[in-house]
Amino acid sequence: MNANAECINNELEKMKKWGRALDKITQIAGKIVYVLCILTGVLFFVNMLGILDTMGLTVDLTCFGKTIDFQELSHPLQITVSLLLIAMLVITCIMVRALVKALRSVFQSIANGRPFEDSTVKGFRSAALWIAILGVGNGEIFGLIIAALCLFLSYVFHYGMLLQQESDETL
């Protein structure tokens, strides 16, 4: 085996190792976010039932720059706000699940030693979409920057996929 082929194999092994590690980290992070969403939803539900009033806990809402004491709202309004917050949590959890699925497809392709395939490109593009939506929903510019980076990486990996196809056809 010549030195160039050995170097390529070493880099491929490093890439596989990073792909497995990032896949595992993404999987764990996704589960943590799911648990946090569920716990937050349970807290809103418990608050909606009025149990938190007796425990001395307070919830402050910020709406258009004004802080509103949740306990000072009428009970029907508390229930409405709680249901809306629970719905938003469910939607956020669904979007995070889609993001985790997209990232895992990217990292699994890399871990399998096939980074330059269509699933990687589609995974990066899907991740960019979900990160952008989540970023805009939270009013964060940083999310849009990360989304743009994922989109850029999709083009880099697409180019690599085309080069890989050309190389395979040449041989």
Side-chain angles (χ1 to χ4, degrees):
M1 185 181 288
N2 66 24
N4 193 30
E6 188 175 321
C7 183
I8 290 171
N9 283 336
N10 287 340
E11 291 301 316
L12 183 60
E13 287 306 313
K14 286 179 194 176
M15 193 169 39
K16 286 180 182 180
K17 187 176 178 181
W18 274 102
R20 286 188 295 272
L22 290 171
D23 179 42
K24 195 67 172 168
I25 289 168
T26 304
Q27 182 181 14
I28 291 168
K31 287 180 181 180
I32 290 170
V33 169
Y34 301 146
V35 168
L36 289 175
C37 281
I38 290 169
L39 288 176
T40 306
V42 167
L43 282 174
F44 282 127
F45 185 71
V46 166
N47 192 46
M48 182 176 65
L49 296 176
I51 296 170
L52 288 181
D53 289 341
T54 61
M55 296 172 35
L57 296 175
T58 61
V59 179
D60 289 333
L61 301 172
T62 302
C63 183
F64 300 110
K66 182 178 180 185
T67 301
I68 302 166
D69 185 5
F70 189 81
Q71 277 70 25
E72 291 179 5
L73 298 174
S74 66
H75 189 66
L77 197 52
Q78 285 181 357
I79 290 174
T80 304
V81 169
S82 294
L83 289 174
L84 286 171
L85 290 172
I86 290 170
M88 286 173 40
L89 278 169
V90 168
I91 291 168
T92 301
C93 195
I94 290 169
M95 289 190 293
V96 168
R97 182 172 174 83
L99 173 61
V100 167
K101 183 180 176 186
L103 290 174
R104 289 201 66 208
S105 74
V106 168
F107 298 139
Q108 286 172 349
S109 293
I110 292 170
N112 292 331
R114 298 183 316 271
F116 301 114
E117 55 183 31
D118 200 41
S119 65
T120 307
V121 174
K122 287 180 181 177
F124 271 122
R125 289 182 182 167
S126 181
L129 172 71
W130 292 116
I131 291 170
I133 291 171
L134 287 166
V136 168
N138 290 328
E140 296 178 3
I141 190 77
F142 186 70
L144 294 176
I145 293 169
I146 298 297
L149 181 62
C150 283
L151 187 61
F152 173 75
L153 285 173
S154 78
Y155 288 113
V156 170
F157 276 79
H158 185 258
Y159 182 70
M161 184 179 75
L162 295 174
L163 290 175
Q164 182 72 48
Q165 286 174 352
E166 183 180 314
S167 173
D168 291 347
E169 291 169 0
T170 303
L171 298 175

